[in-house]
């Protein structure tokens, strides 16, 4: 349970927020006088200050265009943004959301966004459900399968949601946008091109037609999908469309998300985009730039590189696809040094001399010796006595207690 801040601290934050608002929002100038630092620290005064701030801010939000609101929010101190998020109507909370640039954690691996060949067509109706598993997470997909490109569309919609006035119900979170605005968010070279807009529309149709159930550490979650399938997709005379994001899907962000750089993710082709998302889910990679040895089949499956029929891929196919995607990420500076040995992928942080770098299947003798020593102590090749709480596989490891005792 979250511990509540002392009243003194809450009053101080309110006073600072009032000062911000009084200087920047027309009609709120009187709040500067309300934000009295010397007010007595009582529950009554706390409620009165909240009420004094809440009413004029909500009135301003109602009568102000989204662009102006977004410009104002950019100037706010993070603490003031948090205060306002807790006070404004739920329709406006997205403007004050905590900064995030990513996808819900459980949608990075196992990803439901599959790398599908062009000859499979654009609409991928499923005769039977697809089941995707990784660690404690299982996603069951029905209706329509999703492509890797739909992951980029979803990310764009999540970013747009925080810049819009939304309508919130128990089932969905709705906002208005245009295909061109989505294309701009996705950093398309020509966001007005017919082929680009058509591709986005088809992607929205796939998202609307997909129904999922998600089981993770917190239990079973039934998602209507990513978009609410009960709501129609209609572009009006102003070339705008209502986007209905499934409420349960958006709530997954509150549980945790995988950080992605829009400048990187939107510009990657499907295989590289999915592998990038998988790697960013791994704590050691997104914080330290390395990945301990992991089976290439596990990476291939979790990143959705096998498409609709992963069972048809041979180990040779898997190795070739993975190496090609890794080389692409290396050219873009996302991956520094990687090696594949005995069908296990390892990524180093690049903190080695240039002449020692290897991106082939050959490994240095020292690296092989080190891996062998690690595996004597840890069946997964992790750093014994250090990594026992960082990996999903550690939860079921027979020497977990021994590893933990070593650290302490």
């Amino acid at each position: 349970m979250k511990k509540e801040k002392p009243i003194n601290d809450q009053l101080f934050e309110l006073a600072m927020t009032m000062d911000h608002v009084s200087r920047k929002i027309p009609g709120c100038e009187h709040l500067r006088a309300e934000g009295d630092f010397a007010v007595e620290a009582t529950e009554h005064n706390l409620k009165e200050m909240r009420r004094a701030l809440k009413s004029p801010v909500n009135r301003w939000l109602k009568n102000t265009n989204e662009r102006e609101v977004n410009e104002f929010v950019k100037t706010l101190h993070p603490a003031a943004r948090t205060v306002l998020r807790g006070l404004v109507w739920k329709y406006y909370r997205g403007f004050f959301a905590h900064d995030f640039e990513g996808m819900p954690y459980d949608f990075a691996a196992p990803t439901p966004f599959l790398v599908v060949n062009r000859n499979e067509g654009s609409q991928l109706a499923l005769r039977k459900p697809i089941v995707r598993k990784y660690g404690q997470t299982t996603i069951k997909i029905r209706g329509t399968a999703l492509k890797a490109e739909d992951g980029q569309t979803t990310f764009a919609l999540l970013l747009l949601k925080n810049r819009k006035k939304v309508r919130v119900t128990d089932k969905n979170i709705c906002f208005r946008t245009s295909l061109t605005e989505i294309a701009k968010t996705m950093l398309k070279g020509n966001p007005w091109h017919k082929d680009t807009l058509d591709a986005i529309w088809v992607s929205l149709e796939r998202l609307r037609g997909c129904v999922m159930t998600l089981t993770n550490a917190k239990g079973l979650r039934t998602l209507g999908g990513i978009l609410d399938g009960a709501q129609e997709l209609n572009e009006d005379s102003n070339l705008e469309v209502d986007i209905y994001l499934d409420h349960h899907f958006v709530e997954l962000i509150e549980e945790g998300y995988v950080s992605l750089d829009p400048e990187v993710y939107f510009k990657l082709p499907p295989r590289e985009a999915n592998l990038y998302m998988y790697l960013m889910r791994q704590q050691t990679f997104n914080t330290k730039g390395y990945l301990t040895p992991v089976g290439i089949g596990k990476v291939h499956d979790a990143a959705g590189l096998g498409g609709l029929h992963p069972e048809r891929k041979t180990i040779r196919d898997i190795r070739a696809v993975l190496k090609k995607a890794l080389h692409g990420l290396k050219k873009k500076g996302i991956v520094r040094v990687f090696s594949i040995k005995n069908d296990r992928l390892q990524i180093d942080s690049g903190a080695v001399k240039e002449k020692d770098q290897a991106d082939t299947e050959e490994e240095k003798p020292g690296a092989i010796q080190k891996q062998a020593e690690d595996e004597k102590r840890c069946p997964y090749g992790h750093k014994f006595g250090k990594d026992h709480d960082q990996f999903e596989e550690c939860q079921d490891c027979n020497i977990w207690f021994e590893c933990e005792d070593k650290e302490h």
Side-chain angles (χ1 to χ4, degrees):
M1 187 174 178
K2 189 175 179 181
K3 188 176 180 181
E4 194 173 52
K5 293 181 180 180
I7 294 178
N8 270 329
D9 292 346
Q10 295 183 61
L11 286 170
F12 178 78
E13 289 180 349
L14 276 169
M16 292 297 292
T17 304
M18 284 180 163
D19 188 60
H20 265 298
V21 168
S22 66
R23 295 172 188 273
K24 297 179 180 181
I25 296 182
C28 294
E29 295 81 4
H30 67 284
L31 291 177
R32 193 176 305 177
E34 298 281 353
D36 186 356
F37 289 86
V39 69
E40 187 180 354
T42 65
E43 286 285 351
H44 174 75
N45 287 337
L46 186 62
K47 290 179 181 179
E48 288 299 312
M49 284 185 71
R50 283 175 175 163
R51 187 180 295 113
L53 177 60
K54 184 175 182 178
S55 180
V57 170
N58 278 316
R59 193 181 308 116
W60 176 76
L61 287 166
K62 181 179 179 181
N63 298 317
T64 307
N65 65 59
E66 293 162 347
R67 190 172 193 175
E68 191 175 338
V69 174
N70 280 305
E71 289 302 315
F72 165 71
V73 172
K74 288 178 184 177
T75 67
L76 285 176
H77 187 279
R81 190 184 303 182
T82 301
V83 170
L84 289 174
R85 177 175 169 79
L87 293 177
V88 301
W89 293 332
K90 60 183 178 180
Y91 312 107
Y92 306 135
R93 286 175 189 161
F95 290 114
F96 304 94
H98 300 295
D99 290 332
F100 82 92
E101 291 181 339
M103 293 282 287
Y105 187 79
D106 290 323
F107 275 64
T111 181
F113 309 112
L114 309 177
V115 178
V116 180
N117 294 329
R118 292 179 181 272
N119 59 13
E120 298 277 4
S122 60
Q123 294 298 343
L124 308 172
L126 296 174
R127 294 182 179 179
K128 61 179 182 179
I130 295 176
V131 179
R132 312 275 296 121
K133 293 184 177 181
Y134 186 78
Q136 293 181 299
T137 304
T138 301
I139 299 176
K140 184 175 286 188
I141 305 168
R142 297 184 177 86
T144 302
L146 299 178
K147 292 188 176 185
E149 297 91 320
D150 301 331
Q152 293 172 320
T153 305
T154 300
F155 185 28
L157 296 177
L158 290 173
L159 293 177
L160 280 170
K161 176 186 72 69
N162 284 355
R163 307 172 198 162
K164 299 288 185 179
K165 294 182 178 180
V166 299
R167 300 195 300 274
V168 182
T169 70
D170 291 339
K171 293 184 178 180
N172 57 58
I173 295 175
C174 175
F175 60 89
R176 290 182 68 75
T177 186
S178 67
L179 299 185
T180 299
E181 190 173 24
I182 297 173
K184 288 180 179 178
T185 304
M186 296 174 73
L187 307 179
K188 298 295 185 182
N190 184 351
W192 298 275
H193 195 279
K194 184 178 184 302
D195 289 348
T196 298
L197 301 181
D198 287 347
I200 291 174
W201 184 263
V202 173
S203 180
L204 293 175
E205 288 182 327
R206 284 195 297 267
L207 289 170
R208 178 177 172 270
C210 181
V211 179
M212 284 178 271
T213 55
L214 170 74
T215 306
N216 60 12
K218 296 193 175 183
L220 178 67
R221 308 280 287 276
T222 301
L223 307 178
I226 292 173
L227 294 185
D228 186 345
Q231 302 294 332
E232 294 289 336
L233 280 173
N234 291 311
E235 195 174 35
D236 63 19
S237 57
N238 295 322
L239 303 181
E240 292 188 331
V241 61
D242 285 324
I243 299 296
Y244 295 88
L245 287 170
D246 183 87
H247 204 151
H248 295 295
F249 170 73
V250 176
E251 284 178 346
L252 289 173
I253 294 174
E254 300 294 331
E255 295 181 10
Y257 64 90
V258 173
S259 180
L260 301 173
D261 184 345
E263 293 285 342
V264 172
Y265 182 55
F266 285 132
K267 295 179 181 179
L268 293 174
R271 283 188 180 88
E272 292 174 24
N274 273 28
L275 183 56
Y276 168 66
M277 187 160 56
Y278 168 82
L279 291 175
M280 293 305 290
R281 189 184 196 264
Q282 315 309 313
Q283 185 178 0
T284 57
F285 184 85
N286 66 45
T287 58
K288 301 174 184 176
Y290 71 85
L291 184 71
T292 50
V294 58
I296 59 175
K298 184 175 182 179
V299 178
H300 183 267
D301 184 59
L305 302 182
L308 294 172
H309 306 289
E311 71 283 354
R312 298 179 186 175
K313 307 294 182 181
T314 65
I315 196 68
R316 184 175 180 180
D317 295 331
I318 292 172
R319 193 184 301 116
V321 166
L322 200 55
K323 284 183 67 176
K324 186 175 181 180
L326 286 162
H327 277 296
L329 294 182
K330 185 181 177 187
K331 287 179 181 178
K332 296 174 178 68
I334 300 166
V335 169
R336 293 292 300 279
V337 184
F338 73 87
S339 61
I340 296 176
K341 181 69 174 180
N342 297 327
D343 294 328
R344 290 170 71 82
L345 168 66
Q346 179 173 346
I347 296 175
D348 295 319
S349 63
V352 295
K353 294 181 179 179
E354 193 70 27
K355 65 179 181 180
D356 291 331
Q357 292 185 359
D359 60 2
T360 67
E361 294 184 0
E362 300 298 324
E363 290 186 333
K364 301 187 291 296
I368 296 175
Q369 182 181 354
K370 182 177 182 301
Q371 180 179 338
E373 291 174 353
D374 282 341
E375 288 177 344
K376 286 180 182 178
R377 292 171 290 178
C378 174
Y380 301 104
H382 303 156
K383 292 182 180 177
F384 186 78
K386 291 186 178 181
D387 293 339
H388 66 280
D389 60 348
Q390 295 185 24
F391 301 92
E392 291 182 350
E393 51 262 43
C394 291
Q395 297 170 10
D396 301 317
C397 182
N398 293 328
I399 62 170
W400 189 90
F401 291 101
E402 184 183 344
C403 188
E404 186 190 37
D405 289 341
K406 177 71 175 178
E407 183 180 21
H408 296 93

